[in-house]
C-alpha cells in the first residue's frame, strides 16, 4: 500500500484493505445513550448535567454533512472532548470535516486522534488521553509460570 493510500486510509477517506489490524471478534452494539444535548439534533450526545458540573463530559457527534461541523466546533471550544463519527458521511464532506477539526484542534492547542476508520477523538489542551496499558504490568505476559 502506497503512502498516499495509507494516509487516505488513516483519514478514513478510502477503504483500508490491510486486514492485519482488525479484530474479527469486534461487534458493534447499539448505542443506548439516553442523554441528548439538543432535542432537535439527536446526532449529538453529551453526558448528563452531573457530569457537566464535575467537568467529565465527552460529546459524540455523527454529522450528516459539513453544515454539522458547527456543533463540533462549539462543543470543542467549550472544552468538551468530542468523538466525531464520519462513517455515514460522503467522503468529500468527511474530508472537509477532518480538515476543519484539524484546524480547530491546532487553533485551540488541542489534539486530534484517529480512534477507528472514519472516527476521530478531538481533545482540548487540558485533557489527557490514557491508553489501556496497565502501568506496573510485567513485560513477559499476563500469566507468569516461573
Amino acid at each position: 500500500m502506497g503512502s498516499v493510500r495509507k494516509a487516505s486510509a488513516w483519514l478514513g477517506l478510502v477503504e483500508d484493505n490491510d486486514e492485519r489490524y482488525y479484530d474479527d471478534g469486534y461487534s458493534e452494539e447499539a448505542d443506548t445513550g439516553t442523554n441528548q444535548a439538543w432535542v432537535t439534533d439527536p446526532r449529538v450526545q453529551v453526558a448528563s448535567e452531573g457530569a457537566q458540573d464535575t467537568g467529565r463530559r465527552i460529546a459524540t457527534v455523527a454529522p450528516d454533512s459539513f453544515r454539522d461541523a458547527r456543533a463540533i466546533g462549539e462543543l470543542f471550544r467549550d472544552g468538551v472532548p468530542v468523538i466525531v463519527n464520519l462513517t455515514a458521511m460522503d467522503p468529500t464532506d468527511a474530508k472537509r470535516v477532518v480538515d476543519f477539526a484539524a484546524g480547530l484542534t491546532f487553533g485551540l492547542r488541542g489534539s486530534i486522534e484517529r480512534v477507528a476508520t472514519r472516527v476521530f477523538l478531538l481533545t482540548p489542551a487540558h485533557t489527557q488521553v490514557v491508553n489501556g496499558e496497565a502501568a506496573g504490568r510485567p513485560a513477559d505476559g499476563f500469566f507468569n509460570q516461573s
Side-chain angles (χ1 to χ4, degrees):
M1 186 184 300
S3 61
V4 173
R5 177 100 174 137
K6 284 182 183 179
S8 296
W10 184 85
L11 289 173
L13 302 176
V14 297
E15 284 295 318
D16 188 5
N17 295 333
D18 194 358
E19 298 295 328
R20 295 179 297 172
Y21 301 110
Y22 296 107
D23 183 13
D24 292 335
Y26 177 76
S27 66
E28 292 188 28
E29 297 179 9
D31 185 16
T32 59
T34 58
N35 300 323
Q36 298 288 327
W38 298 288
V39 177
T40 58
D41 193 358
R43 297 165 297 183
V44 177
Q45 297 179 358
V46 181
S48 66
E49 294 297 321
Q52 183 176 0
D53 294 340
T54 60
R56 298 180 183 167
R57 298 187 317 157
I58 296 178
T60 59
V61 179
D64 291 333
S65 68
F66 184 72
R67 290 187 314 261
D68 300 327
R70 181 176 181 164
I72 297 167
E74 289 174 350
L75 288 165
F76 189 78
R77 185 178 56 195
D78 291 340
V80 178
V82 180
I83 298 172
V84 181
N85 184 348
L86 303 172
T87 55
M89 287 188 72
D90 179 54
T92 56
D93 281 345
K95 184 176 189 259
R96 290 179 67 196
V97 171
V98 170
D99 289 343
F100 170 79
L104 182 68
T105 57
F106 178 78
L108 296 176
R109 300 190 190 281
S111 64
I112 184 169
E113 181 177 340
R114 180 177 173 238
V115 177
T117 302
R118 299 180 78 163
V119 178
F120 297 89
L121 171 63
L122 283 60
T123 53
H126 65 276
T127 305
Q128 178 184 8
V129 177
V130 180
N131 68 10
E133 297 294 324
R137 193 179 81 189
D140 59 347
F142 177 72
F143 186 69
N144 188 1
Q145 298 179 347
S146 1

